[in-house]
């Protein structure tokens, strides 16, 4: 990547285990002497912080958190995230591991739209909102069966966010299985996420090995 870092997006339904896997992988990379920047969307910036308030029901949008308005908010947060955090870290040569990116908008907001328009029109529109968001070098999709993810979410015990209903998550799991359709120009690698932490960790590392060169 000509002196620049590597931009990795990690995706999956709620409870897929992306956060845990990113933390473990980041620790391993740092142990091997790599510069790593772990980040997430919604981001910790002002727009991302507001989105988390909406998702948790602590902030109210007057017309409700419709899929189209949410797509705008996520896209705005993404540009702020890219310009204010991801690109500076890449310029410093870091491996940037982002817990979610625009594939989340293409999956979640499409599914949440209940197809009030033909699916391809919704996807095209969400893509156009994210037209200027830099492409990841690689996207890892952690695929889990909805039941496994639901168990993990319940074990976590946190209050349910806006999109954490079992029916929506089941539809999202299907959308992620075919993630290539949503981002046809991107490099996407699937990792099976139903196993134990250690099993998934091994698969995750193997998936990224061809992209993340060893230090030195
Ligand atoms: P998480 O940090 O627990 O993954 O929560 C973020 C939630 O926001 C999750 O339910 C996925 C959702 N989301 C979208 O719907 N669209 C997006 O573009 C992003 C980044 C997240």
């Amino acid at each position: 990547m000509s002196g620049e870092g590597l931009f990795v997006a990690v995706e999956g339904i709620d409870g897929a285990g992306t956060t845990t896997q990113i933390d473990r992988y980041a620790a391993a990379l740092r142990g091997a002497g790599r510069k790593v920047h772990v980040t997430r969307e919604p981001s910790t910036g002002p727009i991302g912080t507001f989105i988390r308030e909406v998702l948790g029901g602590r902030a109210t949008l007057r017309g409700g958190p419709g899929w189209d308005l949410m797509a705008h908010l996520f896209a705005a947060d993404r540009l702020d995230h890219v310009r204010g955090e991801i690109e500076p870290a890449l310029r410093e040569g870091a491996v940037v591991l982002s817990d979610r990116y625009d594939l989340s908008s293409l999956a979640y907001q499409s599914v949440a739209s209940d197809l009030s328009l033909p699916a391809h029109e919704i996807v095209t529109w969400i893509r156009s909102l994210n037209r200027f968001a830099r492409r990841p070098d690689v996207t890892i999709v952690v695929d889990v069966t909805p039941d496994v993810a639901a168990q993990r979410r319940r074990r976590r015990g946190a209050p349910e966010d806006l999109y954490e209903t079992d029916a929506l998550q089941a539809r999202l799991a299907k959308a992620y299985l075919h993630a290539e359709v949503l981002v046809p120009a991107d490099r996407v690698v699937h990792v099976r996420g139903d196993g134990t932490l250690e099993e998934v960790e091994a698969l995750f590392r193997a998936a990224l090995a061809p992209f993340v060169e060893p230090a030195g």
Side-chain angles (χ1 to χ4, degrees):
M1 304 292 137
S2 63
E4 276 234 321
L6 185 84
F7 178 22
V8 181
V10 184
E11 290 277 351
I13 64 173
D14 294 272
T18 55
T19 310
T20 310
Q21 290 303 331
I22 286 174
D23 286 346
R24 290 171 83 102
Y25 188 65
L29 281 184
R30 288 190 183 110
R34 294 298 297 258
K35 186 180 275 193
V36 182
H37 184 83
V38 171
T39 186
R40 63 191 322 210
E41 288 192 358
S43 78
T44 55
I47 306 166
T49 303
F50 173 67
I51 294 173
R52 286 204 185 271
E53 296 285 300
V54 172
L55 292 175
R58 295 177 299 278
T60 308
L61 292 160
R62 290 173 300 176
W67 66 275
D68 43 1
L69 176 50
M70 293 306 287
H72 275 288
L73 288 175
F74 283 115
D77 177 45
R78 190 156 297 122
L79 285 186
D80 182 49
H81 188 208
V82 167
R83 291 173 186 165
E85 187 175 342
I86 294 174
E87 288 184 338
L90 288 172
R91 282 196 293 273
E92 288 183 6
V95 175
V96 174
L97 300 170
S98 183
D99 197 342
R100 302 193 177 282
Y101 197 59
D102 65 350
L103 182 52
S104 281
S105 285
L106 291 161
Y108 279 74
Q109 276 62 62
S110 295
V111 166
S113 74
D114 260 328
L115 301 183
S116 43
L117 291 170
H120 70 271
E121 279 187 40
I122 289 175
V123 167
T124 303
W125 179 72
I126 296 173
R127 253 193 228 133
S128 73
L129 284 183
N130 290 281
R131 166 77 179 76
F132 299 111
R134 174 193 185 109
R135 298 323 305 151
D137 294 302
V138 57
T139 298
I140 302 290
V141 175
V142 180
D143 290 308
V144 285
T145 49
D147 285 353
V148 169
Q151 276 169 22
R152 288 181 187 161
R153 291 199 301 277
R154 272 169 212 130
R155 227 177 294 136
R156 203 165 61 196
E160 282 186 355
D161 266 3
L162 181 64
Y163 299 119
E164 293 186 355
T165 65
D166 289 350
L168 192 97
Q169 294 289 323
R171 289 166 60 202
L172 281 166
K174 274 197 195 147
Y176 272 115
L177 278 178
H178 305 287
E180 296 69 19
V181 177
L182 298 173
V183 284
D186 289 0
R187 241 177 315 197
V188 176
V189 183
H190 289 264
V191 164
R192 206 54 249 160
D194 284 333
T196 64
L197 218 106
E198 291 75 18
E199 284 164 351
V200 182
E201 185 179 15
L203 295 172
F204 195 93
R205 271 199 205 201
L208 277 171
F211 303 96
V212 181
E213 301 151 51

